[in-house]
Amino acid sequence: MKNLINNKWFLLLVIALTWGSSFMLIKKSLVVFSPYEIGAIRVVGSGLLLAFIGIPALFKMSKKTILWVTIAGFFGNFLPMYLFPIAQTQVSSSLAGILDSLVPIFVMIFGFLLFRIKSKKTQILGAIIGFLGAASIIYFSEANAEDSNFWYVMLVVLAGASYGVNAVVIKERIPNLNAIKLTAAIYSIWAIPSLVILYFTGFIQNFEMKPEFTEPLSYLAFLTVFGTAIAMLLYFKLIQDTSAVFASTASYLLPIVAVIWGVLDGEKFTFWYVFGGALILIGIYLIREKKKDPKLVPRG
């Protein structure tokens, strides 16, 4: 098991399967819960689960490290948790998963803009091919396209950009912080404002367990434990073990997983899913990590 945890391809697959399924879990949770309740419960729940690690870890960190941990957490563990469920009130789960494949592009952009990091030509080519695969699925997909609203779609794009900032901040500013402590510290910090948000939704004061809540609540619980806390821990480990760009390629697999769940839930399957999925996999191959990790090269 230890060898599997240290295998970057195994981690990439587990993250992709978990996060690729999260869009459908959000969709099922929205039947009962509001977008703000879903986001807040995910963050508060993860914070409570990991507080026994996160709080002691924070006391041992320098003020500068806490600052970067807080910034990384805002962009990767707080803001997107609300953006996705808000967007999915109008955007299908499969389309949300497809749009999330833009993350590696944002990693490259923000890596250059914030930290003057450039990527190799093969990486850029892989990102472009992967993006074209995702774009072809978006353009030719008929899965709930009529329900998609431009501004809600842009919320998913914004979430992808937010993940991009998160990845480069972790890799460039806190690369040596233990992944478990990092994850726990982030959720311990952002559980506090999320608890305030949860209070103002009325969830805490008015919650009453009803039979119709049982199934959506189970989806939300699974989403919180596995899709938020555990998957994020593995994601941070993957970033630190490889590079921000390689870890973000999990986003290229998300559309495939999301579309499969969409088909199982009654969404239409077309040839363009196969074509786009093939391009995405080619993109991952080109953007793959090398032994010496030359993917993100600091500019001199």
Side-chain angles (χ1 to χ4, degrees):
M1 179 58 71
K2 185 176 180 180
N3 290 334
L4 285 176
I5 295 298
N6 291 324
N7 185 297
K8 62 190 177 185
W9 293 105
F10 174 77
L11 290 178
L12 186 71
L13 180 60
V14 171
I15 292 166
L17 289 173
T18 305
W19 280 350
S21 303
S22 69
F23 303 102
M24 182 56 65
L25 293 172
I26 290 173
K27 176 181 177 180
K28 298 297 185 182
S29 300
L30 281 168
V31 174
V32 169
F33 302 104
S34 74
Y36 297 99
E37 288 173 339
I38 292 173
I41 290 171
R42 291 181 70 181
V43 180
V44 171
S46 298
L48 292 175
L49 286 172
L50 299 171
F52 73 99
I53 299 175
I55 294 176
L58 285 169
F59 278 109
K60 295 179 181 179
M61 294 179 190
S62 66
K63 292 182 180 179
K64 185 176 181 180
T65 300
I66 292 176
L67 174 62
W68 285 114
V69 167
T70 303
I71 291 172
F74 174 79
F75 286 105
N77 307 83
F78 179 76
L79 185 60
M81 299 302 166
Y82 297 93
L83 292 178
F84 278 113
I86 292 171
Q88 283 188 235
T89 60
Q90 299 295 325
V91 175
S92 69
S93 61
S94 57
L95 184 55
I98 290 167
L99 290 172
D100 198 40
S101 65
L102 296 172
V103 173
I105 305 295
F106 288 119
V107 170
M108 291 183 180
I109 292 172
F110 287 116
F112 176 78
L113 293 177
L114 299 178
F115 301 110
R116 299 185 66 194
I117 300 167
K118 65 178 182 179
S119 302
K120 294 187 69 175
K121 291 181 180 179
T122 51
Q123 261 193 296
I124 296 173
L125 177 62
I128 292 172
I129 292 174
F131 173 80
L132 290 175
S136 66
I137 295 175
I138 295 171
Y139 185 80
F140 293 104
S141 173
E142 298 178 1
N144 295 329
E146 68 277 8
D147 296 329
S148 299
N149 178 283
F150 175 77
W151 295 110
Y152 284 90
V153 168
M154 292 309 295
L155 290 179
V156 180
V157 176
L158 178 60
S162 184
Y163 278 136
V165 175
N166 164 267
V168 294
V169 167
I170 290 172
K171 186 62 179 180
E172 296 304 313
R173 288 297 178 261
I174 41 178
N176 299 318
L177 189 60
N178 177 271
I180 296 176
K181 293 181 180 179
L182 172 60
T183 307
I186 283 175
Y187 283 117
S188 296
I189 292 171
W190 287 105
I192 298 173
S194 291
L195 185 61
V196 174
I197 293 173
L198 190 61
Y199 176 82
F200 281 104
T201 64
F203 176 86
I204 297 175
Q205 307 93 307
N206 304 319
F207 179 76
E208 180 182 351
M209 193 61 194
K210 300 177 181 179
E212 60 267 26
F213 280 22
T214 303
E215 187 173 339
L217 187 60
S218 65
Y219 291 136
L220 186 53
F222 186 90
L223 182 63
T224 299
V225 176
F226 293 97
T228 307
I230 294 177
M232 191 61 70
L233 187 157
L234 297 178
Y235 180 63
F236 288 162
K237 176 175 172 56
L238 187 61
I239 290 175
Q240 294 172 336
D241 289 351
T242 58
S243 74
V245 173
F246 180 81
S248 68
T249 56
S251 298
Y252 282 166
L253 289 171
L254 298 189
I256 299 173
V257 179
V259 166
I260 290 173
W261 278 117
V263 170
L264 293 175
D265 200 47
E267 295 178 356
K268 187 175 180 180
F269 181 83
T270 72
F271 160 78
W272 294 107
Y273 289 155
V274 178
F275 176 77
L279 288 183
I280 289 169
L281 291 176
I282 292 172
I284 291 176
Y285 177 79
L286 292 176
I287 209 170
R288 72 194 186 283
E289 198 73 16
K290 302 291 187 181
K291 290 184 179 179
K292 295 184 179 181
D293 191 16
K295 293 186 176 303
L296 294 178
V297 183
R299 298 184 70 183

